[in-house]
Amino acid sequence: MPRIAVLASGSGSILNAILQEALPVSLVLTDRPCTAAEIAINAGVPTDIIKRTAFGYRKDSGDNWNRRAFTEAVHESLVNNRINIVAMAGFFTILHPMIFEDFGGKILNIHPSLLPAFKGASAVRDALAAGVQVTGTTIHLATETLDDHRYIIAQVKVAVHSTDTVESLWERIKVHERLLYPALLRQILEGTIRLEDFRD
Ligand code: GRF
């Protein structure tokens, strides 16, 4: 059975849903101390906190920090933990492309929009500002291109309500994400979904 790592940075509610489904998670890796790391530690899952601030990251540092060295540390942790599949669930750091040398086609990401619509960090805010009536969530294979839509594995539509705020809409999207991601990971673990089938 493939060994899965979950990468997270924030509140970790999707990670929590994955763990609640009793899926075998072999590693949780975060880029900062955060609730997601606490959830993993409390659940007894091997947890690695690799602080990006230790590699020069600051809020306003742009590309002026050592993203490559950070990514190499992430890569080393994945290899040391014999990880085969990486599931990003609210991981807020863009990894250096070197990660795809070993893990190309093996890194999943969940993004709170119907890709290719609304790429980037403010997807929910942007959907609301655009006035769309339907948005949603996408699980896709990550590549060197941010929020790449070429390898979409699953999407769920979510209606936008006229009374929605960013918070209410995002939470409604997350309700679906907490069902979708564990279900998909289970299918991958059981072999009913093969990631190879989604690549060229
Ligand atoms: C999710 O909406 C996911 O689509 C996005 O980050 C959010 C993570 O939520 N990439 P949480 O930290 O698991 O609550």
Side-chain angles (χ1 to χ4, degrees):
M1 198 181 270
R3 287 172 58 82
I4 291 186
V6 177
L7 271 50
S9 301
S11 57
S13 72
I14 298 174
L15 165 68
N16 194 45
I18 292 167
L19 295 175
Q20 291 297 318
E21 284 298 309
L23 286 161
V25 174
S26 302
L27 172 71
V28 170
L29 190 152
T30 74
D31 57 3
R32 70 198 76 187
C34 57
T35 311
E38 287 167 21
I39 289 169
I41 291 165
N42 290 337
V45 178
T47 306
D48 201 357
I49 302 172
I50 302 177
K51 292 184 193 169
R52 61 182 180 176
T53 49
F55 296 86
Y57 176 89
R58 298 290 175 270
K59 223 175 177 175
D60 55 1
S61 57
D63 270 340
N64 201 14
W65 68 289
N66 203 338
R67 190 187 305 274
R68 185 177 178 108
F70 169 79
T71 304
E72 283 169 352
V74 171
H75 176 261
E76 190 182 351
S77 179
L78 297 176
V79 170
N80 288 344
N81 286 282
R82 304 188 315 284
I83 297 302
N84 311 106
I85 292 173
V86 177
M88 296 199 285
F91 189 63
F92 301 150
T93 304
I94 299 170
L95 293 170
H96 186 278
M98 69 80 60
I99 200 72
F100 297 105
E101 289 166 21
D102 274 354
F103 287 93
K106 307 273 189 226
I107 305 180
L108 298 157
N109 183 44
I110 187 160
H111 180 78
S113 78
L114 295 173
L115 290 176
F118 309 117
K119 298 184 176 192
S122 55
V124 180
R125 181 175 301 279
D126 293 347
L128 206 54
V132 295
Q133 293 184 342
V134 177
T135 182
T137 184
T138 303
I139 296 176
H140 64 111
L141 287 180
T143 71
E144 292 86 343
T145 306
L146 182 66
D147 296 331
D148 195 345
H149 60 277
R150 285 178 297 165
Y151 310 114
I152 289 175
I153 300 173
Q155 285 187 314
V156 172
K157 291 180 184 173
V158 177
V160 180
H161 299 168
S162 58
T163 52
D164 264 333
T165 60
V166 174
E167 289 71 28
S168 68
L169 178 54
W170 202 338
E171 180 52 30
R172 201 157 62 256
I173 291 171
K174 283 195 193 187
V175 168
H176 291 275
E177 294 183 316
R178 293 181 200 122
L179 295 171
L180 187 65
Y181 221 168
L184 180 76
L185 290 176
R186 186 172 298 286
Q187 286 177 291
I188 291 169
L189 284 167
E190 290 173 351
T192 48
I193 285 187
R194 301 181 336 142
L195 296 185
E196 306 87 271
D197 294 339
F198 292 88
R199 288 296 297 264
D200 297 333

